[in-house]
Amino acid sequence: MESAHAPVYPLSMLSFALFACLQPLYDDKGDVPDTGEVVDEVDPIDSEDVEEPEDRDGDGLPDEEEEEHGTDPDDPDSDDDGVRDGDEVEAGTDPLNPDSDGDGLSDGEERGLGTDPLNADTDGDGLSDSEEVELGTNPLKKDSDGDGLADRGEVQKGTDPNDTDTDDDGLDDGEEIGLGTDPLDADSDGDGLSDGEEVDLGTDPLEADSDGDGLNDGEEVDLGTDPLDTDTDGDGLEDGDEVNTHGTDPLDSDSDDDGLSDGEEVSTHETDPLDEDSDDDGLSDGDEVNTELTDPLDSDTDDDGLSDGDEVNTHGSDPLNEDSDYDGLSDGDEVNTYNTDPNDSDTDNGGVSDGYEVLVDGTDPNSASDDGLEESPSGLYGGHFDVDSSSFIATVGSGTTDEHDHGFSADYGVSGVDFFDMHGSKVHELTEDVTDLDQPFKLIVANADLSPGARLVLNGAYDPLDYTSWE
């Protein structure tokens, strides 16, 4: 008869059953427990038989995880930004937000550009990545055009962040900001030169007239003058005064080539720097000032009736002496009225000076026949006197003469001699005064036969035509 209790097994059978219970559930280290593998009729020792988690849309994100992220397990790109959900999760972007950093570019566009989809301003230049794309700048480079200004700074200043030299003046926008010039104006100071040209020339791009001479820098460059030198030709007049006031050439120190610089003519002599002969006397202004010592503004410096030019160039008379031969007639009267020689006191060599003939005797100074030998008011009886001179007063017994003038009275139309103020250059004046009024002196007259009569005047003024002065 059978018992109602559980069957009784031999010991060997119990040992096997216990061993089986102690075996690991995952002998093949697969994802499915061996018990399941046995049920599913797969090899519990082969991991290649393990099934992958289900990913219906193939976006790299298992359906279970899609549920966690809230993405669509049937749409590989839930936010339609061009990046699979799985890639977004891996990259850290939001698979449900097409623009994870909110910069105006989808995450997919940022991947294509190489920008950071988690940083709205990848290059940190102050412009969002999408603004840079819209402007055409490089969202991966702070200074897209390399001009020294960040892109945002250029946008704020109005310069072109894609053009190193927005105003095309030869200076980068960054250089202009450093100099203080206007990167939007090729000629910041309006002088006719671009800012770049001014920097190359060394002029001030912020100052229209760098040297302050009255001409702006552009005008100077056009004229050929030096925009850094107020007086390019060194004539004493500033370039601006030459151009704007006097009409002279700022590149020629002597515009009229008269021998005087433009500055001397304007500032010193007040002559015309555009007229070589300001007084039209036939002598250039330079010759009058430097050679003849005449007045370049007075055509007849000595007022003798002959122009300075006529005296120098035609007659050879002295333009500074109205009576060059000291005959008592002015040079002009001799030439224009009496036709006598202004350089010869006795034109007809008759022994009487031209002036005496005209003014006293009333005789013809061009005819020797009427020059009588009667006693004349000059104190000479038809002859003349010579002068021998010494430039110093000698002691008794040691005096000598050093020059001789034959016919001194005739040469200069005089009847007396002042040894401290001699006429001409043939004889010498005394170079020392007689200070002792009691000092005796001796006057030696030689060849007296040539002057048979004469008057001696001491310490008195005399005039050969005024007898009362002979006392």
Side-chain angles (χ1 to χ4, degrees):
M1 184 171 102
E2 295 181 357
S3 173
H5 297 285
V8 177
Y9 298 100
L11 179 59
S12 59
M13 291 182 66
L14 290 173
S15 298
F16 173 77
L18 180 59
F19 174 78
C21 291
L22 295 174
Q23 289 295 314
L25 293 177
Y26 297 92
D27 280 344
D28 59 5
K29 298 182 175 58
D31 292 331
V32 181
D34 292 343
T35 55
E37 290 187 354
V38 174
V39 172
D40 291 336
E41 297 181 352
V42 294
D43 186 353
I45 307 301
D46 186 1
S47 63
E48 293 181 0
D49 295 333
V50 177
E51 292 184 358
E52 294 291 334
E54 187 171 7
D55 181 7
R56 292 199 303 270
D57 55 11
D59 61 0
L61 191 63
D63 295 346
E64 293 177 2
E65 293 188 44
E66 298 232 34
E67 185 176 351
E68 293 176 10
H69 291 288
T71 52
D72 186 347
D74 293 313
D75 183 350
D77 183 8
S78 298
D79 56 7
D80 296 320
D81 61 0
V83 182
R84 297 189 317 163
D85 295 342
D87 292 336
E88 293 219 51
V89 170
E90 183 178 354
T93 55
D94 187 347
L96 294 173
N97 184 350
D99 181 8
S100 296
D101 56 9
D103 61 1
L105 294 178
S106 70
D107 297 341
E109 288 175 308
E110 299 225 41
R111 279 200 169 205
L113 291 169
T115 54
D116 185 350
L118 293 172
N119 186 346
D121 180 9
T122 300
D123 57 9
D125 62 359
L127 295 177
S128 70
D129 296 340
S130 64
E131 287 179 302
E132 299 225 41
V133 170
E134 185 177 348
L135 289 169
T137 54
N138 187 346
L140 296 172
K141 189 177 180 183
K142 284 187 176 183
D143 180 8
S144 296
D145 57 9
D147 63 0
L149 296 178
D151 296 340
R152 178 177 173 79
E154 299 223 42
V155 170
Q156 291 175 328
K157 295 179 187 304
T159 54
D160 186 348
N162 289 308
D163 185 349
T164 57
D165 182 7
T166 300
D167 57 8
D168 296 319
D169 62 358
L171 296 178
D172 288 350
D173 297 339
E175 287 182 280
E176 299 223 43
I177 296 300
L179 289 169
T181 53
D182 186 347
L184 294 172
D185 186 347
D187 182 8
S188 296
D189 56 9
D191 62 0
L193 296 178
S194 71
D195 296 339
E197 289 176 311
E198 298 224 43
V199 169
D200 290 340
L201 288 170
T203 53
D204 186 346
L206 293 170
E207 175 61 62
D209 181 7
S210 294
D211 57 8
D213 63 358
L215 296 177
N216 69 39
D217 298 339
E219 287 178 298
E220 298 225 42
V221 169
D222 290 340
L223 289 169
T225 53
D226 186 347
L228 294 171
D229 186 346
T230 57
D231 181 8
T232 299
D233 57 9
D235 61 1
L237 296 179
E238 291 189 353
D239 297 338
D241 287 340
E242 296 218 47
V243 172
N244 300 321
T245 303
H246 306 294
T248 50
D249 186 347
L251 293 170
D252 185 347
S253 61
D254 182 6
S255 295
D256 57 7
D257 297 318
D258 63 358
L260 295 178
S261 73
D262 297 339
E264 289 178 302
E265 298 219 47
V266 170
S267 304
T268 304
H269 306 292
E270 298 182 354
T271 50
D272 185 348
L274 294 172
D275 185 347
E276 64 175 333
D277 183 7
S278 296
D279 57 7
D280 297 317
D281 61 359
L283 295 178
S284 72
D285 297 340
D287 284 343
E288 296 218 49
V289 170
N290 300 320
T291 304
E292 308 299 340
L293 305 182
T294 50
D295 184 347
L297 292 171
D298 185 346
S299 60
D300 182 8
T301 300
D302 57 8
D303 297 319
D304 62 358
L306 294 179
S307 72
D308 298 339
D310 284 342
E311 296 217 50
V312 171
N313 299 322
T314 303
H315 305 294
S317 52
D318 184 351
L320 295 171
N321 187 347
E322 63 175 334
D323 183 7
S324 296
D325 57 7
Y326 297 100
D327 62 359
L329 297 178
S330 70
D331 296 341
D333 285 344
E334 297 218 48
V335 171
N336 299 321
T337 303
Y338 303 109
N339 198 33
T340 51
D341 184 348
N343 293 305
D344 186 345
S345 63
D346 183 8
T347 301
D348 59 10
N349 294 316
V352 178
S353 70
D354 298 339
Y356 197 86
E357 291 207 56
V358 169
L359 301 174
V360 179
D361 289 341
T363 54
D364 183 356
N366 290 300
S367 173
S369 62
D370 59 3
D371 291 5
L373 295 178
E374 67 276 3
E375 181 179 0
S376 68
S378 67
L380 299 178
Y381 289 87
H384 67 266
F385 63 82
D386 300 342
V387 172
D388 291 282
S389 69
S390 177
S391 58
F392 61 93
I393 298 176
T395 58
V396 176
S398 63
T400 59
T401 60
D402 49 20
E403 290 293 345
H404 172 78
D405 187 349
H406 182 75
F408 186 87
S409 59
D411 286 344
Y412 301 108
V414 296
S415 59
V417 179
D418 181 347
F419 287 94
F420 293 98
D421 185 17
M422 300 289 273
H423 293 298
S425 60
K426 293 181 181 180
V427 292
H428 298 293
E429 298 177 356
L430 288 174
T431 58
E432 56 182 300
D433 292 334
V434 177
T435 57
D436 184 359
L437 297 180
D438 297 325
Q439 171 70 43
F441 68 92
K442 182 184 293 184
L443 176 64
I444 301 175
V445 179
N447 299 321
D449 291 341
L450 292 175
S451 301
R455 293 181 182 275
L456 177 64
V457 179
L458 300 176
N459 298 325
Y462 68 90
D463 181 341
L465 303 181
D466 181 3
Y467 310 138
T468 63
S469 69
W470 298 358
E471 297 177 355

